Amino acid sequence: MWRVLVTDEMRLGEVKNGDIRLDYKPNMPREEILKVIAGYDALITRSRTQVDAALLEAGKNLKVVGRGGVGVDNVDLEAASRRGILVVNVPEANTRSAAELAWALLLAASRGVVDSDRKIREGVWDRKYLGLELDRKTIGIVGLGRIGGQVARFARAFNMRVLAYDPYIPRTRAETLGVELLDDLADVLRQCHFLTVHTPLNEETRGLIGRRELYLLPKGAVVVNAARGGIIDEKALIEVLGEGHLFAAGLDVFELEPPNVEHPLVQHPKVTHTAHLGANTFEAQDRVGEAVLERVIETLQGNLAYALNTGFDPEGLQMFQGWLPLGEALGKLLPQITQGRPQALEVTFYGDFEKNPDPIASAVAKGLLGSVLEEGAVNLVSARPLLRDRGIPLSTRHVEQPKDYLQVIEVALETDRETRKARGAVLGGKPRIVGIDSQHVEVVPEGFMLICINRDQPGVVGKVGTLLGDSGVNIAGMQLGRDNPGGHALFVLGVDQRPGEAVLEALRGLDVLERVDLAEL
């Protein structure tokens, strides 16, 4: 009989398997969990219980950890993998409820539901208020993942034109949803009467919708954020609402939660609020609990279809300590220097690797997605499923013949516009980038890097160095490569600080350079 411990509150439904003994102990203190966990085969949690290396080590008989929800941020996946503990989650359980709440906010804001409700309670019967219809209007969706895709399906039922911006989603997914996928966020904003955001919060998306973006919307637009606080700049939203450019807004999330009652958005009559309720429906909570219990039981019985961390050899993880950060660096580098939408990723291993190097490919996927998803949302074992969710296939090849070094990994990123490659090796235990495209370089993968392509001729580096120096950008290091004298050349400049857009434009305007890309590692 399998023993399963549940330490967080959730609606698990009925246990229909006679081989399972379920102990439901919500809000169990960590000290108690550590004392009893050795007697259990599986642990089910939400986000409260921290399933770290110490807890996993105490669970001497643990075989499965189930996380009721989307992410696995509170589970140490690498520690679980090293101990052979499988980890499952239920990322799709609250998709419908979150998408429906976004629509509830959009409809309520468009028709003044909250303001009218408040006035009636105050004894005011105001029938002069005019709202907005959705029919044949344009909705813009920023982020076309699971929830954004469901929002798009609802929009079609309202007879709306649907535009979307998501540089990490293939066009085939948008076409399946009946969505026009645009490459420029500004082009979406200029055309949409309603805007809703469905991205994670990270450095790329924080403040993504600011004052400039809000003013790109047609006058009288409605804005909804049921994703993460901070994607829409709150200060800018207050200003633009006050200036009368927007008709209304709907918010389920704030930068700081709960917000102060005196927060200008809380008190604003044009804003409809809910208290971060995206996943809070009976049905979603039932789905989360029932699905995670079902997946834990199936995994205990040997079905590995839902496990996030299968296929990792603990000894291999130890052996590839230098290669994993190299793979992650290459995965992070390529999308920054490759134009277009990712379509496919290929990792080639050159030389003789004593253990299966497949975990390095997972590190590449982690690096590629790390700048797209929230911090902690992607790791070695979740990277491949997340990449598959975005319709980006990852393939691997193993070529026994060495290439320049005894062992090399080469990563190729194909987009809808071009394909670029980067190679790396571990030298003296340290990761190094040893090639970009056809050029050989040797670069430590860290900090800000300017990757410049030019014709091999005198004076190129001098002009670039002078421009950077005049702009106050200090060069920390330089590596050059070329295919043949007088042919194409590539050089990498490590700089101490991120060059501003004006500096990058000035570099791209130099007649001696064919291309300039900036990467941060």
Side-chain angles (χ1 to χ4, degrees):
M1 178 173 287
W2 305 110
R3 296 191 65 196
V4 180
L5 175 65
V6 182
T7 58
D8 290 351
E9 291 185 10
M10 65 184 74
R11 300 161 63 93
L12 290 163
E14 188 178 342
V15 180
K16 300 174 182 177
N17 190 304
D19 294 332
I20 297 296
R21 173 181 164 182
L22 185 69
D23 291 338
Y24 181 65
K25 299 183 179 181
N27 302 313
M28 193 177 191
R30 178 178 172 85
E31 296 74 20
E32 275 190 49
I33 299 173
L34 290 171
K35 286 179 183 176
V36 304
I37 193 64
Y40 289 91
D41 300 287
L43 171 68
I44 296 178
T45 75
R46 292 297 298 265
S47 57
R48 184 191 68 89
T49 302
Q50 293 302 307
V51 188
D52 54 19
L55 192 152
L56 292 165
E57 186 161 344
K60 300 187 184 304
N61 293 306
L62 272 182
K63 300 167 184 65
V64 181
V65 171
R67 164 69 163 88
V70 177
V72 285
D73 300 358
N74 58 316
V75 181
D76 188 332
L77 286 163
E78 292 189 31
S81 296
R82 289 193 182 96
R83 297 190 62 81
I85 299 170
L86 299 171
V87 180
V88 299
N89 68 345
V90 282
E92 71 287 351
N94 69 348
T95 296
R96 178 90 186 191
S97 60
E100 286 186 3
L101 180 66
W103 273 97
L105 289 169
L106 190 150
L107 288 165
S110 301
R111 296 304 301 270
V113 170
V114 173
D115 196 41
S116 184
D117 176 84
R118 177 180 56 80
K119 286 180 179 179
I120 291 172
R121 293 172 190 273
E122 294 171 354
V124 179
W125 187 254
D126 180 7
R127 294 200 62 213
K128 296 180 180 178
Y129 183 90
L130 295 177
L132 301 174
E133 288 186 358
L134 277 58
D135 182 45
R136 289 176 291 182
K137 300 285 180 62
T138 299
I139 184 171
I141 302 173
V142 178
L144 203 60
R146 288 191 184 95
I147 297 171
Q150 185 62 60
V151 168
R153 293 185 185 97
F154 291 154
R156 294 174 64 188
F158 281 94
N159 195 29
M160 301 183 80
R161 178 188 179 207
V162 187
L163 304 180
Y165 172 75
D166 190 329
Y168 301 97
I169 291 292
R171 293 194 182 280
T172 50
R173 171 171 168 78
E175 291 167 0
T176 301
L177 292 167
V179 173
E180 298 173 51
L181 188 63
L182 304 186
D183 292 328
D184 191 337
L185 174 60
D187 288 342
V188 173
L189 298 174
R190 290 189 185 99
Q191 301 179 65
C192 61
H193 308 98
F194 301 89
L195 176 70
T196 178
V197 295
H198 298 284
T199 71
L201 180 67
N202 53 42
E203 288 308 308
E204 186 176 350
T205 62
R206 187 180 299 277
L208 180 66
I209 308 298
R211 181 180 176 86
R212 171 183 173 272
E213 287 74 24
L214 291 170
Y215 262 103
L216 286 174
L217 294 166
K219 184 175 175 59
V222 174
V223 174
V224 171
N225 184 4
R228 291 289 186 270
I231 297 170
I232 298 176
D233 186 295
E234 289 182 0
K235 182 180 178 183
L237 181 59
I238 293 164
E239 292 174 355
V240 177
L241 279 167
E243 292 159 7
H245 184 69
L246 296 178
F247 183 80
L251 301 177
D252 182 49
V253 289
F254 283 82
E255 292 180 18
L256 294 176
E257 295 180 353
N260 189 293
V261 70
E262 300 301 324
H263 192 299
L265 286 173
V266 171
Q267 297 299 327
H268 204 291
K270 290 186 176 182
V271 181
T272 299
H273 311 95
T274 47
H276 207 143
L277 303 180
N280 287 29
T281 61
F282 287 107
E283 294 84 357
Q285 295 306 305
D286 287 345
R287 281 195 298 270
V288 166
E290 290 172 4
V292 72
L293 178 58
E294 180 181 328
R295 289 183 182 181
V296 164
I297 292 172
E298 287 191 26
T299 306
L300 283 170
Q301 293 173 334
N303 180 2
L304 305 184
Y306 302 111
L308 297 174
N309 57 337
T310 55
F312 280 8
D313 174 4
E315 289 185 17
L317 287 174
Q318 288 293 117
M319 182 172 294
F320 294 133
Q321 282 188 351
W323 291 90
L324 294 175
L326 172 62
E328 187 171 342
L330 293 174
K332 190 175 181 180
L333 169 70
L334 280 170
Q336 296 183 74
I337 66 171
T338 309
Q339 298 174 1
R341 299 176 180 279
Q343 302 291 316
L345 191 65
E346 182 182 71
V347 180
T348 304
F349 303 100
Y350 290 95
D352 182 22
F353 288 80
E354 186 177 337
K355 293 284 185 179
N356 182 358
D358 209 46
I360 304 171
S362 296
V364 173
K366 178 187 175 187
L368 187 142
L369 292 173
S371 59
V372 181
L373 302 177
E374 291 180 9
E375 186 175 353
V378 59
N379 46 57
L380 284 179
V381 292
S382 64
R384 291 199 184 195
L386 289 170
L387 201 65
R388 285 196 298 271
D389 284 348
R390 282 155 179 76
I392 304 171
L394 169 62
S395 59
T396 59
R397 293 191 306 136
H398 199 151
V399 180
E400 292 186 6
Q401 185 69 27
K403 185 172 185 176
D404 299 328
Y405 300 85
L406 289 176
Q407 296 169 315
V408 171
I409 59 172
E410 180 176 80
V411 181
L413 177 62
E414 178 188 346
T415 73
D416 56 358
R417 297 176 63 181
E418 62 179 347
T419 298
R420 298 199 74 178
K421 298 180 179 180
R423 295 176 298 285
V426 174
L427 307 176
K430 303 293 183 182
R432 295 287 187 274
I433 296 172
V434 298
I436 297 175
D437 297 328
S438 62
Q439 311 298 340
H440 175 80
V441 294
E442 189 175 312
V443 181
V444 177
E446 62 184 20
F448 298 104
M449 299 191 306
L450 287 166
I451 295 100
C452 307
I453 296 176
N454 62 286
R455 279 281 174 190
D456 185 29
Q457 62 187 59
V460 175
V461 176
K463 287 186 178 182
V464 172
T466 299
L467 192 155
L468 291 175
D470 291 343
S471 303
V473 178
N474 188 55
I475 297 175
M478 179 175 65
Q479 280 288 323
L480 298 94
R482 65 179 183 180
D483 45 20
N484 53 70
H488 271 92
L490 177 146
F491 63 96
V492 179
L493 294 176
V495 292
D496 287 336
Q497 65 266 44
R498 175 187 289 274
E501 284 301 318
V503 176
L504 292 173
E505 287 304 310
L507 285 170
R508 290 168 181 146
L510 291 176
D511 58 3
V512 295
L513 294 181
E514 295 183 5
R515 178 167 179 169
V516 178
D517 294 292
L518 173 67
E520 180 183 359
L521 299 179

